[in-house]
Amino acid sequence: MKNSLYTALVMLMLFTLSCLLYTVIFWDMMGASHIFRSHTTVLETRSGAIPTPAVLTTKATGSCQHTGGCDPAKNSKSISSAIPTPAVPTMKATGTCQHSGGCDPAKNSKSIRKAVPKPKVYEKVKGQCNTSQGNVAFVKTHKTGSTTLTTILNRFGYHKNLSFVQMADAETGHFNYHTPSFSRINELFPPIGVTKNDTGNYTGYNISAVHFRYSRAFMEALMGDGVTPVYYITILREPVSQFVSAFRYFDVAKALLPANSTSHGDIEATILEVLNLSQSVFVAHPFAWNNQLFDLGMRKPDMLNESSVRRHVELLEREIDLVLITEHFDESLVLLKKLLCWEYDDILYLKRRMQPLEDSSISSTTIDRIRKHNHADSIMYDFFNRTLWKKVSDYGPSFDEDLETFRNLLSKRLENCTAGTEVVKVARGQENVMHVLAKDASDICWSVVRMYDVIDIIRRRQGG
């Protein structure tokens, strides 16, 4: 009996110990699991895998609206990122006049397009043009058709009563190859409304369309007002034809060759004789070597280094809003119209400074030599000729239609403007073919044909 009782007590004690042991093991396992999860959270936090907090979204078809989560089956559409869109600054306040010469408020009540990213050429341009906008700094190159473009700008500014950058002591206002300098700012006509010699207010000019070597800092000081955007434009011509035209017009041979040279009178022989001169001669004469790049601010000695040339071209690409191409003048003007928010009538033109036709046939061998001689101009021209067509592509599908519209209007609006042409003497005894204004011509014909009359009025307005 005693043995049976003793056995039962032992069995009970063993059972109790087993239960206690299982309990300890169970709680130990639970604690380890908790510790493991805690360490995992720390590791995830250190590695950057921080859970994204729930974001309260506005209602949208297919988007989860519950801040605590949703059934994926009911939310199969992707949810837009809940990142607030920053306010985008506008070019000017809604309803502000964009026209540098004044506006009709009734025509300018719509909001100006916000400055969202877009192709570079139109980065300052409103999405929908209600009126023209911005000041224009035209870097006027030599013998590139630039006078034709100047007459377009002059006519626009004349009709809008705008202020022009003009040298007071030059008949046509050109700087030519005077280095633009703040020390000579008193030689300019003041802007409209500014007293002569009040040079501290010689700023905010609306248009520059005269010859000057490109100097960004100088032009920004003259044309910037802190509010109105300034558009920089220029024009380039195929380097061989530009060189030959400048060579003849500025009589480069007379300046560089001896008077007894036997090549005078034969344009090709004269060019070849000049090309055989030393490099130092070319560096000293603006029209004998890479004249277009010189106009656009590059020093002649630097043109010997092709890497320096390419860097300067890249700088120009960043700083110039539109480079027009003479051989594609109409296409260039359509791009200019869009850039400045102008009308078709604003870009009507007649060709200017045409030289009388001469026998200037040049062999292909000499043409190759001229192009190699003007290697830096060739690099620049080829680059911007390519970018022109990139800008045409960026313009959109309406370009061809707009170009056709412009060309049709060009012939219709100007068909009764002229009564033939005449050859007139100009600077340095050179001759130009000029258009003769037709009798009873319209006002727009007068402003298109009589370019020098327009310049005279512009200069008188500013104190000339």
Side-chain angles (χ1 to χ4, degrees), residues 287-332:
F287 302 107
W289 184 50
N290 295 314
N291 171 229
Q292 296 179 84
L293 192 54
F294 183 68
D295 279 342
L296 285 163
M298 191 169 193
R299 296 173 62 251
K300 290 270 185 165
D302 295 337
M303 296 176 191
L304 293 168
N305 186 313
E306 183 171 326
S307 295
S308 296
V309 170
R310 294 189 183 278
R311 282 195 298 271
H312 192 82
V313 169
E314 290 170 359
L315 173 68
L316 294 173
E317 198 274 334
R318 292 192 299 270
E319 293 187 349
I320 306 291
D321 294 287
L322 179 62
V323 177
L324 292 82
I325 298 296
T326 306
E327 289 74 22
H328 308 292
F329 194 63
D330 289 352
E331 291 87 346
S332 298

Side-chain angles (χ1 to χ4, degrees), residues 2-270:
K2 288 182 179 181
N3 290 335
S4 299
L5 181 60
Y6 179 78
T7 301
L9 288 172
V10 171
M11 294 294 293
L12 179 60
M13 290 175 65
L14 290 173
F15 176 78
T16 302
L17 289 171
S18 298
C19 289
L20 288 173
L21 180 60
Y22 283 123
T23 301
V24 170
I25 292 172
F26 174 79
W27 285 109
D28 185 66
M29 291 177 63
M30 290 298 291
S33 176
H34 171 72
I35 292 171
F36 176 78
R37 286 197 302 271
S38 298
H39 279 279
T40 303
T41 303
V42 171
L43 290 170
E44 289 176 343
T45 303
R46 289 176 179 171
S47 66
I50 301 174
T52 304
V55 179
L56 180 62
T57 59
T58 55
K59 285 190 176 182
T61 304
S63 297
C64 173
Q65 303 301 310
H66 199 292
T67 57
C70 295
D71 181 356
K74 297 179 181 179
N75 192 39
S76 58
K77 294 186 180 180
S78 60
I79 301 174
S80 299
S81 300
I83 302 173
T85 302
V88 180
T90 57
M91 289 175 55
K92 286 190 178 180
T94 301
T96 300
C97 173
Q98 299 295 309
H99 197 296
S100 51
C103 297
D104 178 1
K107 296 180 180 179
N108 195 41
S109 59
K110 294 183 180 179
S111 303
I112 306 304
R113 182 185 63 80
K114 294 181 179 180
V116 295
K118 67 195 95 37
K120 179 183 183 298
V121 66
Y122 301 126
E123 65 185 6
K124 303 175 187 174
V125 183
K126 303 186 296 292
Q128 292 185 346
C129 297
N130 296 319
T131 183
S132 58
Q133 62 173 16
N135 297 333
V136 182
F138 172 37
V139 186
K140 189 177 190 297
T141 48
H142 287 83
K143 307 313 296 176
T144 57
S146 61
T147 298
T148 301
L149 184 52
T150 287
T151 61
I152 292 172
L153 296 169
N154 286 347
R155 187 176 75 249
F156 180 87
Y158 159 76
H159 285 298
K160 308 299 182 183
N161 201 37
L162 304 183
S163 295
F164 286 78
V165 174
Q166 290 262 331
M167 290 285 283
D169 62 352
E171 182 180 353
T172 52
H174 297 309
F175 287 80
N176 286 319
Y177 284 126
H178 297 303
T179 300
S181 168
F182 293 105
S183 65
R184 303 185 62 187
I185 196 169
N186 62 316
E187 297 178 29
L188 299 176
F189 283 125
I192 294 173
V194 176
T195 305
K196 183 176 175 59
N197 295 324
D198 182 14
T199 55
N201 287 311
Y202 279 24
T203 187
Y205 289 90
N206 305 116
I207 294 176
S208 174
V210 294
H211 284 299
F212 71 92
R213 284 195 70 215
Y214 180 53
S215 171
R216 183 61 174 238
F218 186 71
M219 296 313 298
E220 286 284 0
L222 290 180
M223 308 199 66
D225 60 9
V227 178
T228 308
V230 179
Y231 294 87
Y232 285 81
I233 64 173
T234 191
I235 185 168
L236 299 178
R237 182 178 179 182
E238 191 280 317
V240 174
S241 59
Q242 189 275 338
F243 176 83
V244 173
S245 179
F247 189 93
R248 179 187 293 119
Y249 187 82
F250 296 107
D251 204 351
V252 174
K254 182 178 180 180
L256 299 183
L257 297 179
N260 61 354
S261 171
T262 59
S263 65
H264 286 300
D266 183 329
I267 184 66
E268 183 168 9
T270 306

Side-chain angles (χ1 to χ4, degrees), residues 366-437:
T366 301
I367 287 173
D368 288 342
R369 279 203 63 184
I370 294 172
R371 175 166 268 272
K372 290 176 181 177
H373 175 72
N374 294 282
H375 180 59
D377 269 4
S378 298
I379 289 173
M380 179 173 65
Y381 176 84
D382 291 345
F383 179 88
F384 284 111
N385 189 35
R386 290 192 300 270
T387 65
L388 178 81
W389 297 108
K390 174 63 168 60
K391 289 176 172 63
V392 168
S393 176
D394 291 341
Y395 185 101
S398 67
F399 181 83
D400 289 339
E401 181 181 346
D402 291 352
L403 178 62
E404 182 179 4
T405 298
F406 170 54
R407 284 174 168 165
N408 290 337
L409 183 65
L410 193 62
S411 60
K412 290 178 181 178
R413 293 299 298 268
L414 301 180
E415 62 184 353
N416 297 318
C417 284
T418 63
T421 60
E422 60 181 353
V423 177
V424 298
K425 292 285 185 180
V426 292
R428 292 170 298 278
Q430 296 293 324
E431 294 181 336
N432 277 345
V433 178
M434 306 290 285
H435 298 280
V436 178
L437 182 67

